[in-house]
Amino acid sequence: ATLPPRASGSTFGNETDLAALLDLKKRITPLHVMSSWNDSIHFCSWVGVTCNNSTNRVIILKLNSKNLVGSLPPSIGNLSHLTGINLVNNSFSGEIPQEMGRLQSLRSLNLSYNSFGGKIPTNISHCTQLSMLDLQHNEITGSVPDQLSSLMSLNHLWLTINNLTGTIPNWIGNFSSLKSLLGQNNFHGSIPNELGRLTSLESLGLDSNNLSGMVPSSIYNISSMSLFSVLDNQLHGELPPNIGINLPNLQLFAGGLNKFTGTIPTSFSNSSRLRALDLGYNGLVGTLPAANLGRLQRLVWINFSHNRLESGKTGNLNFLSFLANCTSLQSLALNNNHFEGELPRSIGNLSTQLNSLVLGRNLIRGSIPDDIGNLLSLNVIGMEQNYLSGIVPDGIGKLQKLVTLNLRTNRFSGLIPSSIGNLTSLTLLYMYENRFAGSIPPNIGNCQSLLELDLSNNNMSGTIPRELVGISSLSISLYLSNNYLTGSLPSEVGDLIHLVELDVSGNKLSSEIPTTLGHCIMLMHLRLEGNEFEGTIPQSLKNLRSLEEIDISRNNLSGQIPEFLGKFPFLHYLNLSYNDFEGELPKEGIFSNASGLSVIGNNRLCGGLPKLRLHACSIKKSHSSQRLLAPKVVIPIACALAFIISLSCFIVARSKVKKSRGGPVGSRSYEGWKSISYLELVQSTGGFSMDNLIGSGSFGSVYKGVLPTDGRVVAVKVFNLQQRGASKSFIDECKVLRSILPHRNLLKIISACSSIDNQGNNFNSLIFEFMENGSLDSWLHPRDDDESQSKRLSLIRRLNIAIDVASALDHLHHLCETTIVHCDLKPSNPSNVLLGEDMVAHVGDFGLARFLLEASDSSSQSQTISAGLKGSICYIPPENGLSQIHIGLSCSALSPSEQMQMNVVVNKMKATRDSYLNFRGRRKRS
Ligand SMILES: Nc1ncnc2c1ncn2[C@@H]1O[C@H](COP(=O)(O)OP(=O)(O)OP(=O)(O)O)[C@@H](O)[C@H]1O
């Protein structure tokens, strides 16, 4: 009803409704969305409000998808004429008020996709007219209250994705008009028999609970059922033979990830509307009733992976021909079964819509028919770990949409078809553990979307094509190990600037290690062992500070072992054995710990830890070191040191006196921090010139500077004291910074300067170590105009950053004297995570940090972890992706007791990283 504008909304309508709406408005931000909720128009014309024409009472409140943040006030219960509430897809939190129970005309309550917590209010039981209760995707806890048994008019009960516990109440079986019941929660126990009485039920979704026992047979008789999904529980038993006859309306049947046994009922062919059949990860036996399934023209999705199915008496795969009749089929997953026999040519007749064909880990023999090239929609081919042989047909090059091609661990031979270069969308190519021979086709270099390429453990010869190592998209790994490759490692390897793992070991590669390898700054694992490389270790490799493992053993390398290897912070495995290195071993880092180091078979090396059993280095050196210890040398050095120490004591003492006098233009430094004056800061930042301005935040600007005293590069954060709150932020930040014990992942404070500037105004600044790779934000969200456009973070780098951030928080939460909560780490704009020289993340900006006792909202303490994960889930294997989501959810739980401890987060993230690096189910590398 459109009512004429009025000066006062209350004149026309009901005072109670107006008051309740205003009360609601008070709790909601952002205000601009609610700007129409003002006095100038009647509340019946406010956005999202619908009134009854004659009574002017609010009947519908519809504020879905408006980015609203807030909570529901108890006064919502005063909108007593409401029939519908729709707040879907906002960020409402807090409990759903019990006063909702006063809305006795309510027929539809949809609060889904918010962050409501607490329990389901028992008073909702008074809303007996409710036909739709949708609370899905919230954080609701507790069990489903028995009081809800009075909601006999319910058509739809959607509780999915909450934290509900307990059992599924059997009284739901009395809701005779119930059409859909969805609940992915933590329910346990069995599915109540009573649900079989729901004769109007169309959708039953009970995925991902802890349900056990058998599915009551009466449920398989609800003929109205179109969607049945109980994925990921512990249900057991056999599927009834007449299932398809009794469920003629079935469109989706998903029982994957359970313990179902027995055979696949042929009667599914009677469910003529069936679109998806998912029974993967069960204990099903027997054959695939393909002739029956072939009658299901609408079938889009078939998944019987991870069962014990077999080819049956025929011992072949000809049954696949029947599936050609499923003209809508998009995904066929039969992997991890006992299917045997050859792939029939008719595989090329499968639906042209097929985008995923997954047949890996069976006993399939023979070759891949060339006709596979007909399946033009294919994104994924998985045929790994079978007994496939012969050549890979050229036709594969027609599959231009292919993203994953997994042919590993088979008996393929011959050349890799050059048509592979047509597969420009390919991201993962696994052909390892086969018998491929000949050269690697150079046009593989056209596959410019590849993230990972593994051709290892084949019989390939010839040189490594330049084009291959020029695939700059490669950012997970490149494995060419254990072949017969010759020639040099092409200098184009330097294009692999995102690559994490490079393994060309066990070939016949010769010449020098290219200096361009030093460009691959993301490398964590470098394996060149078992080749014929010669010359020295190039100096350029000193850039590769992320390296964790280096194996260059069994080559012809010579020269000195460079010092920089001892400075790599993460290096824990270095194998230099069986080369011809000479001279003294460096002493630092990896060289100080014999367990990760191997140098045997280098007879001209000397020094090092006694455990390495190298001979002592030449007298000349020890002579000179003895000379160093001679009194002639020692005495002047000692005197100089004593002088320096007394001088610094004097300076410190003098500065303390100055401090206590509080001289107007003196600067104040803090104990243990370097003393830096205002003038020094002016000098170091070129007079705070625009050229040195790094950026500005809410309370001031940050400048790059070089300290005149020691040449150290710093970031000077100058507080804009005109800005309200800036002075307090400076004091608070100093307070927190002084109490933090240093940590590798915390931004290091060098000094604070509290002084008077050259115009006589107060001047406050903090001086930090300069982070040369800027903020994480600038990497995750490069600006259009920015040279940072070219910035890209590999997944592994993102994981490492997330681990760094979590480690910093762990330190703040658990390892400082008083627990400190940061309170200002925003996943959407992680400008307070800064990246140092080696891309090591440092958490900074403690302006809002609180000692735990002071923290008003401890829930904010763990908001960060998702920052590092954003955008990365897509490359994580699904099980790891889930574990990341789990970590994210746990960290953002509102109640501190439910939040995961940061040290657990760190460990879990590390486990994810490690398992990610080993993902692809590859064999263990020695
Ligand atoms: N030690 C540092 N090294 C390099 N850049 C830094 C350093 N400290 C801060 N910066 C950069 O300076 C800019 C301003 O930082 P500042 O902490 O003042 O504000 P912010 O974090 O962007 O915003 P806000 O204070 O509103 O949260 C940011 O771009 C930040 O990445």
Side-chain angles (χ1 to χ4, degrees):
T2 319
L3 295 165
R6 287 272 150 180
S8 158
S10 59
T11 343
F12 236 113
N14 181 292
E15 294 287 348
T16 329
D17 281 8
L18 177 64
L21 291 173
L22 289 176
D23 199 18
L24 175 62
K25 181 185 173 185
K26 259 196 266 162
R27 312 226 178 182
I28 298 181
T29 54
L31 282 175
H32 70 268
V33 180
M34 310 295 287
S35 57
S36 74
W37 286 33
N38 66 46
D39 263 1
S40 66
I41 47 174
H42 189 277
F43 64 76
C44 288
S45 300
W46 290 358
V47 163
V49 177
T50 306
C51 294
N52 175 298
N53 275 345
S54 47
T55 60
N56 277 342
R57 298 294 307 267
V58 181
I59 51 170
I60 292 174
L61 190 58
K62 184 171 180 292
L63 290 168
N64 55 312
S65 303
K66 299 224 175 318
N67 289 325
L68 300 178
V69 179
S71 59
L72 285 183
S75 55
I76 189 119
N78 297 343
L79 295 167
S80 53
H81 284 225
L82 270 180
T83 58
I85 300 180
N86 176 350
L87 302 179
V88 180
N89 194 22
N90 284 295
S91 298
F92 281 97
S93 56
E95 299 205 359
I96 304 167
Q98 282 287 9
E99 286 74 4
M100 281 275 184
R102 292 174 40 208
L103 304 177
Q104 296 189 6
S105 307
L106 203 61
R107 287 201 291 273
S108 165
L109 175 57
N110 193 343
L111 305 180
S112 58
Y113 295 90
N114 277 289
S115 302
F116 285 108
K119 300 192 171 169
I120 301 178
T122 49
N123 281 352
I124 285 201
S125 59
H126 301 302
C127 308
T128 49
Q129 310 246 26
L130 263 188
S131 73
M132 201 250 257
L133 177 57
D134 187 350
L135 303 179
Q136 57 182 318
H137 288 263
N138 277 290
E139 291 153 23
I140 300 170
T141 54
S143 55
V144 181
D146 278 341
Q147 287 86 340
L148 263 54
S149 61
S150 59
L151 302 180
M152 297 287 286
S153 309
L154 273 183
N155 286 152
H156 304 281
L157 177 55
W158 290 342
L159 304 174
T160 211
I161 315 218
N162 277 290
N163 298 322
L164 292 168
T165 48
T167 54
I168 299 173
N170 50 15
W171 43 256
I172 292 183
N174 300 333
F175 293 172
S176 53
S177 26
L178 199 68
K179 290 193 169 131
S180 51
L181 171 61
L182 303 179
Q184 178 173 333
N185 280 288
N186 299 321
F187 293 128
H188 65 263
S190 54
I191 301 176
N193 277 325
E194 288 78 356
L195 296 196
R197 298 210 302 258
L198 299 172
T199 48
S200 305
L201 200 64
E202 291 169 7
S203 306
L204 175 64
L206 296 172
D207 298 344
S208 299
N209 285 292
N210 292 318
L211 299 172
S212 52
M214 304 213 329
V215 176
S217 56
S218 51
I219 288 189
Y220 292 129
N221 290 334
I222 303 176
S223 59
S224 51
M225 185 99 75
S226 74
L227 180 151
F228 174 90
S229 187
V230 292
L231 289 167
D232 193 9
N233 282 289
Q234 284 133 47
L235 299 164
H236 69 263
E238 297 194 4
L239 302 175
N242 51 359
I243 186 165
I245 298 166
N246 293 344
L247 301 178
N249 292 308
L250 206 56
Q251 294 192 33
L252 177 141
F253 187 91
L257 281 159
N258 276 293
K259 297 174 177 169
F260 290 117
T261 48
T263 55
I264 305 171
T266 52
S267 68
F268 271 124
S269 57
N270 293 292
S271 308
S272 57
R273 298 179 183 182
L274 200 60
R275 290 167 56 77
L277 185 53
D278 182 350
L279 280 160
Y281 288 89
N282 277 293
L284 300 174
V285 294
T287 56
L288 184 80
N292 305 75
L293 298 182
R295 290 193 209 129
L296 299 172
Q297 302 257 325
R298 301 191 194 180
L299 214 48
V300 172
W301 175 280
I302 300 179
N303 181 6
F304 285 101
S305 74
H306 294 85
N307 278 289
R308 278 179 262 137
L309 301 174
E310 54 192 31
S311 295
K313 272 190 230 130
T314 60
N316 62 37
L317 297 172
N318 291 348
F319 62 85
L320 290 176
S321 318
F322 290 112
L323 298 181
N325 298 332
C326 304
T327 47
S328 311
L329 196 62
Q330 291 180 16
S331 175
L332 176 62
L334 299 177
N335 53 304
N336 292 65
N337 277 290
H338 303 320
F339 291 115
E340 59 185 324
E342 298 195 7
L343 284 175
R345 254 193 83 178
S346 59
I347 200 162
N349 299 336
L350 288 174
S351 154
T352 48
Q353 302 196 40
L354 196 69
N355 57 43
S356 174
L357 177 62
V358 185
L359 303 174
R361 298 186 193 220
N362 279 292
L363 310 166
I364 305 175
R365 297 184 304 272
S367 54
I368 300 181
D370 194 43
D371 288 2
I372 198 164
N374 299 345
L375 304 177
L376 294 178
S377 302
L378 276 180
N379 292 151
V380 177
I381 295 182
M383 298 201 177
E384 76 283 4
Q385 244 175 296
N386 278 295
Y387 299 105
L388 290 161
S389 57
I391 57 163
V392 172
D394 226 27
I396 208 127
K398 293 194 208 144
L399 306 177
Q400 301 216 358
K401 294 189 180 162
L402 216 52
V403 173
T404 299
L405 177 57
N406 189 353
L407 302 179
R408 75 166 177 89
T409 322
N410 275 291
R411 294 171 181 172
F412 290 111
S413 55
L415 298 174
I416 292 179
S418 64
S419 64
I420 207 121
N422 299 340
L423 305 181
T424 48
S425 305
L426 210 56
T427 61
L428 306 180
L429 175 56
Y430 303 146
M431 301 186 104
Y432 61 91
E433 288 175 352
N434 276 292
R435 297 168 189 171
F436 288 111
S439 312
I440 303 173
N443 59 358
I444 204 167
N446 298 341
C447 304
Q448 286 284 339
S449 304
L450 274 178
L451 297 174
E452 182 165 28
L453 171 60
D454 195 337
L455 304 179
S456 64
N457 292 68
N458 278 294
N459 299 329
M460 293 199 296
S461 53
T463 55
I464 300 178
R466 297 181 174 283
E467 295 82 352
L468 187 156
V469 283
I471 305 178
S472 58
S473 56
L474 280 170
S475 46
I476 301 177
S477 52
L478 171 59
Y479 292 113
L480 301 175
S481 50
N482 299 327
N483 279 290
Y484 300 98
L485 299 169
T486 52
S488 58
L489 181 57
S491 60
E492 284 78 0
V493 73
D495 293 350
L496 301 176
I497 52 170
H498 305 294
L499 195 69
V500 169
E501 199 163 357
L502 174 65
D503 187 349
V504 295
S505 63
N507 280 291
K508 294 178 176 172
L509 299 172
S510 53
S511 303
E512 301 206 339
I513 298 173
T515 53
T516 49
L517 189 58
H519 299 163
C520 307
I521 52 165
M522 297 285 188
L523 272 187
M524 293 170 73
H525 304 266
L526 175 62
R527 306 197 56 165
L528 307 179
E529 77 269 20
N531 279 293
E532 292 159 19
F533 287 113
E534 57 196 35
T536 54
I537 299 177
Q539 273 300 318
S540 63
L541 299 199
K542 80 165 181 291
N543 299 333
L544 307 185
R545 291 173 57 88
S546 295
L547 277 171
E548 295 184 356
E549 289 179 356
I550 304 177
D551 194 339
I552 51 176
S553 62
R554 292 181 288 116
N555 279 291
N556 302 325
L557 296 164
S558 54
Q560 300 253 342
I561 294 178
E563 292 282 338
F564 63 74
L565 290 177
K567 299 203 162 71
F568 285 174
F570 311 112
L571 193 63
H572 59 79
Y573 178 75
L574 175 63
N575 194 344
L576 303 171
S577 50
Y578 301 105
N579 279 290
D580 190 23
F581 291 117
E582 62 182 11
E584 184 169 5
L585 270 193
K587 296 190 177 59
E588 284 180 79
I590 186 84
F591 297 97
S592 61
N593 172 8
S595 66
L597 176 69
S598 176
V599 293
I600 49 171
N602 287 282
N603 297 332
R604 298 197 289 151
L605 279 179
C606 66
L609 296 169
K611 235 180 167 180
L612 298 172
R613 302 226 188 102
L614 297 177
H615 55 77
C617 291
S618 69
I619 318 265
K620 209 172 129 207
K621 270 246 158 85
S622 53
H623 206 77
S624 64
S625 59
Q626 263 169 21
R627 254 201 1 232
L628 265 177
L629 293 175
K632 257 196 322 198
V633 181
V634 172
I635 293 170
I637 291 178
C639 291
L641 271 178
F643 174 72
I644 292 166
I645 292 168
S646 4
L647 185 68
S648 48
C649 288
F650 171 71
I651 292 169
V652 170
R654 209 176 61 152
S655 78
K656 277 190 178 166
V657 171
K658 257 193 179 175
K659 195 162 74 179
S660 60
R661 283 196 203 128
V665 280
S667 71
R668 203 171 72 188
S669 76
Y670 292 87
E671 242 172 89
W673 294 356
K674 192 177 161 67
S675 164
I676 299 177
S677 69
Y678 170 71
L679 281 178
E680 276 173 302
L681 291 180
V682 171
Q683 207 183 331
S684 68
T685 57
F688 302 109
S689 74
M690 286 306 285
D691 286 349
N692 287 326
L693 182 69
I694 304 173
S696 300
S698 351
F699 291 129
S701 305
V702 179
Y703 296 86
K704 183 176 177 179
V706 181
L707 292 183
T709 42
D710 57 9
R712 191 152 23 152
V713 186
V714 292
V716 184
K717 179 171 176 177
V718 181
F719 286 75
N720 172 8
L721 298 178
Q722 311 297 320
Q723 181 70 38
R724 216 166 135 216
S727 173
K728 179 169 185 318
S729 170
F730 171 73
I731 294 165
D732 287 351
E733 191 160 359
C734 282
K735 205 163 111 188
V736 174
L737 286 168
R738 289 177 67 190
S739 69
I740 293 179
L741 297 171
H743 183 272
R744 170 178 178 263
N745 301 116
L746 290 178
L747 185 61
K748 189 170 166 204
I749 174 85
I750 292 168
S751 187
C753 175
S754 186
S755 179
I756 301 288
D757 68 13
N758 51 10
Q759 285 163 24
N761 298 318
N762 281 337
F763 174 87
N764 285 350
S765 77
L766 290 170
I767 299 100
F768 295 99
E769 193 180 12
F770 176 69
M771 294 285 111
E772 61 184 59
N773 280 311
S775 72
L776 175 60
D777 189 42
S778 70
W779 285 80
L780 294 181
H781 313 116
R783 292 190 309 270
D784 291 345
D785 58 324
D786 206 351
E787 56 176 297
S788 55
Q789 274 280 9
S790 57
K791 287 179 173 178
R792 273 183 58 177
L793 284 177
S794 68
L795 170 61
I796 199 70
R797 186 63 65 197
R798 287 165 192 248
L799 278 171
N800 279 334
I801 291 171
I803 293 170
D804 286 345
V805 175
S807 305
L809 294 185
D810 178 36
H811 181 76
L812 295 173
H813 293 181
H814 304 298
L815 303 170
C816 290
E817 225 164 81
T818 321
T819 296
I820 293 167
V821 284
H822 187 284
C823 301
D824 196 19
L825 284 170
K826 296 163 270 200
S828 55
N829 169 18
S831 64
N832 293 333
V833 175
L834 294 152
L835 300 171
E837 191 192 357
D838 328 315
M839 297 300 285
V840 172
H842 297 70
V843 171
D845 200 344
F846 291 87
L848 294 180
R850 294 283 176 271
F851 297 102
L852 190 61
L853 294 177
E854 292 175 30
S856 56
D857 178 12
S858 59
S859 67
S860 47
Q861 63 185 303
S862 342
Q863 291 170 355
T864 39
I865 208 71
S866 55
L869 287 170
K870 258 197 145 185
S872 61
I873 297 286
C874 50
Y875 301 139
I876 304 186
E879 60 279 17
N880 285 339
L882 285 177
S883 111
Q884 299 316 297
I885 291 167
H886 175 68
I887 296 172
L889 289 176
S890 168
C891 286
S892 52
L894 276 184
S895 142
S897 64
E898 285 168 20
Q899 287 171 6
M900 201 179 270
Q901 296 278 314
M902 272 300 153
N903 56 346
V904 181
V905 173
V906 174
N907 289 338
K908 281 185 181 275
M909 303 269 327
K910 282 186 176 162
T912 298
R913 180 191 58 189
D914 297 345
S915 88
Y916 166 69
L917 287 175
N918 274 330
F919 110 88
R920 311 164 298 252
R922 65 178 59 255
R923 65 267 176 250
K924 277 230 169 349
R925 284 161 194 282
S926 54

